[in-house]
Amino acid sequence: MTFASHIFRHSTQVPITLLSIASHIFRHSTQVQDGLTARAGGTSVSGMVLSRGISCSDVQLRKSFSTNSGLPPHQELGMPSLSPTMTEACSNLTRWLKKEGDHVSAGEVLCEVETDKATVEMECMEVGYLVKIIHGDGAKEIKYCRSSSIPYMLILEVAKGLVRGPELVIAITVEDKDDIEKFKDYKPQTSNGASPQDPPASTPAKEEVIEKPVSPPEPKAVKPSSAAETDRIFASPLARKLAEDNNVSLSSIKGTGPDGSIVKADIEEYLASGKKDLPAAPSRADKTTVSATSYTDIPHSQIRKVTASRLLLSKQTIPHYYLTVDTCVDKLTKLRVELNSLQEASGGKKISINDLVIKAAALALRKVPQCNSSWTNDYIRQFHEVHINVAVQTDNGLYVPVIRDADKKGLSAISEDVKILAKKARENSLKPADYEGGTFTVSNLGGPFGIKQFCAIINPPQAGILAVGSAERRVIPGSGVREFKFASYMPVTLSCDHRVIDGAIGAEWLKAFKGYIENPETMLL
């Protein structure tokens, strides 16, 4: 008997205490194993096994052998937590790759689940038949268990109403093909044993004397809105006389007296300001017209939710400061032309300015490792590897895939990685290994959009992000009198976490970065 089935089976019996549930489970349940695994980036994240005395970091109600009356043994497959960075206890089900009645084998993909950052495949671990799909294609916010360590915590989740069993179940499987028809009309059970789709069963009417509470007397108060409803303006007699003598309309004056009434001081202030009659307040019909403006509510995607929460966290908790410098890119542009001619001759892909920027940023991080760090409450963690996240805008939202060991890779390898990851981001097919573990971020709005200069928000837990603007041609003084020449300059802005990167350290990093950009041949050494 599994943990999940035990809780749901007891939900229709006499209420029992949490302690008795926990003791019964630890006494009778020696092992609970789920029936699902998530495959992400070639790594299989299998279901956790719970046994007496073993802690579990990701407890989920994902499989249970139900004992419903009239139904054979079956497995209830639940929604797993497929991303380590998910902060909400729910996921979206994109589509099913299997349909009801299909035979499933161990390792076969059942469906695709949208996490906070990507769409991840979920596969089955046991042989059987998919007999019932509870949540179909496009189902939103399907809950998974948020418990963190031991089964007792999961009991608390269910008992407190934070998680209900049926909300965790997405499908039903059986081992015997002959049992498929028996689940044709299956509906998941709620905590009181009734189907969530069915209305509550009717009970015999009970004649009860219900005492109608005595309603308290309504307070007699003058409502401010009554003035607007009756077009009556409240003003003191002295204020009315003063307004009449000066030919001032009371409707043009906002009262500061009790309940918004106009007093003498309001008239005197109006006359002293020399104002003319203000336009009358909009009528109710005008307000209705304004409020009736058409609009469309666009539901939040998972990536939009996590981007919003992380950026808000960054601006609220990280003390940002910004350093901007102009870099001459004439030599960089010339080197790029020469390298691309070699790439074309060898059948390779072209190298972009952004690829050179990523390489220069990675080498500058290696030279100034204090910027390749992150803040914790107890220490500053300085990373030994340089992994550069690159901001990629898509129709679904903002993604930041990571270029691993960017300081050790050649320009052609960086260019290839950026193109592959950008394509996967636009196709919403990034795996966790494609975006996790970055130590620094580069965001370029100059090349694609022509933005001259901007300040980017730090991507936590990193300590810095580089914002790259567009290059522009400028006139600069020459070596002689009345001499001048043209040069192209690209502004870049470094956003720093002041807890980790002091101003002088940030300036030192920008100096190293500018040296690589203005003398790009040093990047090839």
Side-chain angles (χ1 to χ4, degrees):
M1 179 185 297
T2 63
F3 173 64
S5 62
H6 179 79
I7 288 182
F8 298 142
R9 184 169 62 84
H10 281 77
S11 61
T12 58
Q13 298 178 4
V14 179
I16 54 180
T17 64
L18 294 177
L19 185 58
S20 62
I21 296 177
S23 62
H24 182 84
I25 289 175
F26 284 112
R27 187 168 61 249
H28 290 89
S29 179
T30 58
Q31 198 173 65
V32 178
Q33 182 175 2
D34 65 28
L36 296 177
T37 181
R39 187 176 63 191
T43 302
S44 195
V45 184
S46 60
M48 307 302 294
V49 177
L50 309 183
S51 60
R52 187 181 309 170
I54 296 179
S55 175
C56 175
S57 61
D58 188 17
V59 180
Q60 287 139 3
L61 282 174
R62 291 189 283 182
K63 173 182 174 182
S64 64
F65 290 91
S66 176
T67 56
N68 290 338
S69 176
L71 293 176
H74 57 277
Q75 292 89 3
E76 295 179 345
L77 307 182
M79 175 63 71
S81 171
L82 298 176
S83 172
T85 59
M86 291 204 63
T87 57
E88 297 186 8
C90 58
S91 296
N92 297 336
L93 203 158
T94 305
R95 63 175 180 135
W96 282 93
L97 303 180
K98 294 288 185 178
K99 60 180 182 294
E100 292 183 358
D102 283 357
H103 179 268
V104 293
S105 302
E108 278 194 286
V109 177
L110 291 174
C111 60
E112 292 179 351
V113 176
E114 181 187 7
T115 68
D116 55 350
K117 293 182 179 178
T119 298
V120 183
E121 295 175 341
M122 189 172 69
E123 60 185 41
C124 186
M125 284 195 62
E126 295 183 359
V127 177
Y129 293 88
L130 183 63
V131 296
K132 193 70 176 180
I133 295 177
I134 307 300
H135 296 282
D137 293 351
K140 301 290 184 181
E141 299 185 353
I142 305 174
K143 296 183 179 179
Y144 61 84
C145 179
R146 295 171 291 177
S147 303
S148 59
S149 58
I150 60 175
Y152 180 68
M153 293 302 296
L154 188 53
I155 300 172
L156 293 179
E157 293 272 328
V158 177
K160 290 179 180 178
L162 299 177
V163 175
R164 290 187 296 151
E167 293 176 323
L168 304 173
V169 180
I170 61 174
I172 304 295
T173 63
V174 296
E175 296 181 0
D176 193 347
K177 185 177 182 180
D178 296 335
D179 294 333
I180 295 178
E181 289 298 324
K182 299 178 182 179
F183 290 84
K184 183 177 180 181
D185 299 322
Y186 173 85
K187 294 178 182 178
Q189 299 294 313
T190 60
S191 58
N192 60 2
S195 171
Q197 291 92 348
D198 294 340
S202 59
T203 57
K206 295 181 181 180
E207 296 183 1
E208 296 181 358
V209 179
I210 302 177
E211 295 183 2
K212 185 177 181 180
V214 179
S215 58
E218 296 183 359
K220 295 181 180 179
V222 179
K223 298 181 180 180
S225 60
S226 61
E229 294 175 358
T230 61
D231 293 330
R232 180 180 176 185
I233 299 175
F234 292 91
S236 68
L238 183 58
R240 287 183 179 275
K241 181 68 171 60
L242 187 60
E244 184 179 351
D245 293 341
N246 291 274
N247 196 22
V248 174
S249 174
L250 292 177
S251 62
S252 304
I253 301 174
K254 183 178 180 181
T256 60
D259 295 327
S261 61
I262 301 173
V263 295
K264 177 186 175 183
D266 298 327
I267 304 296
E268 292 175 343
E269 182 180 1
Y270 182 86
L271 294 173
S273 65
K275 294 181 181 178
K276 301 194 179 219
D277 287 351
L278 299 175
S283 63
R284 282 189 172 187
D286 295 335
K287 292 180 179 179
T288 304
T289 303
V290 173
S291 63
T293 303
S294 61
Y295 58 87
T296 301
D297 291 331
I298 302 174
H300 298 309
S301 63
Q302 291 295 102
I303 182 63
R304 180 67 61 186
K305 287 181 181 179
V306 74
T307 300
S309 63
R310 287 175 65 82
L311 293 182
L312 180 62
L313 173 69
S314 177
K315 291 298 288 185
Q316 288 181 334
T317 62
I318 297 179
H320 286 59
Y321 75 91
Y322 310 96
L323 301 173
T324 302
V325 68
D326 290 332
T327 60
C328 182
V329 294
D330 288 339
K331 292 183 179 180
L332 189 75
T333 304
K334 182 179 178 181
L335 176 64
R336 175 175 174 260
V337 172
E338 295 175 356
L339 292 176
N340 282 336
S341 62
L342 296 176
Q343 287 287 97
E344 291 178 3
S346 61
K349 296 182 179 180
K350 289 186 177 181
I351 295 171
S352 67
I353 292 293
N354 201 48
D355 300 331
L356 292 161
V357 168
I358 294 171
K359 180 67 176 180
L363 293 176
L365 287 172
R366 193 168 67 184
K367 181 176 287 189
V368 187
Q370 296 94 323
C371 294
N372 195 43
S373 307
S374 68
W375 171 267
T376 70
N377 291 332
D378 300 320
Y379 47 81
I380 294 176
R381 174 170 292 171
Q382 191 172 115
F383 300 102
H384 298 157
E385 291 81 25
V386 178
H387 305 318
I388 304 291
N389 287 101
V390 182
V392 178
Q393 183 64 44
T394 70
D395 295 336
N396 298 319
L398 181 65
Y399 291 88
V400 280
V402 60
I403 309 298
R404 301 195 181 277
D405 297 315
D407 58 324
K408 301 175 183 177
K409 289 184 177 179
L411 290 170
S412 60
I414 292 176
S415 177
E416 184 72 18
D417 287 351
V418 170
K419 290 178 174 61
I420 293 175
L421 291 172
K423 181 180 179 182
K424 293 174 71 174
R426 295 186 181 96
E427 295 173 350
N428 196 26
S429 61
L430 288 172
K431 304 301 181 185
D434 296 329
Y435 52 76
E436 292 177 352
T439 61
F440 189 86
T441 300
V442 171
S443 179
N444 189 344
L445 293 179
F449 305 103
I451 301 301
K452 182 177 179 180
Q453 187 265 336
F454 68 102
C455 299
I457 301 175
I458 295 172
N459 181 22
Q462 298 172 9
I465 181 173
L466 183 69
V468 182
S470 63
E472 62 177 3
R473 197 162 179 79
R474 303 177 187 175
V475 179
I476 60 175
S479 56
V481 180
R482 295 183 180 180
E483 289 185 2
F484 63 89
K485 60 181 180 179
F486 292 95
S488 295
Y489 283 86
M490 179 181 70
V492 294
T493 300
L494 177 65
S495 304
C496 302
D497 182 348
H498 213 322
R499 300 171 301 178
V500 180
I501 305 174
D502 294 330
I505 299 299
E508 185 180 349
W509 185 90
L510 273 179
K511 180 180 178 181
F513 174 81
K514 181 177 181 179
Y516 286 120
I517 293 295
E518 295 185 345
N519 300 281
E521 62 274 4
T522 58
M523 291 191 288
L524 306 178
L525 299 177

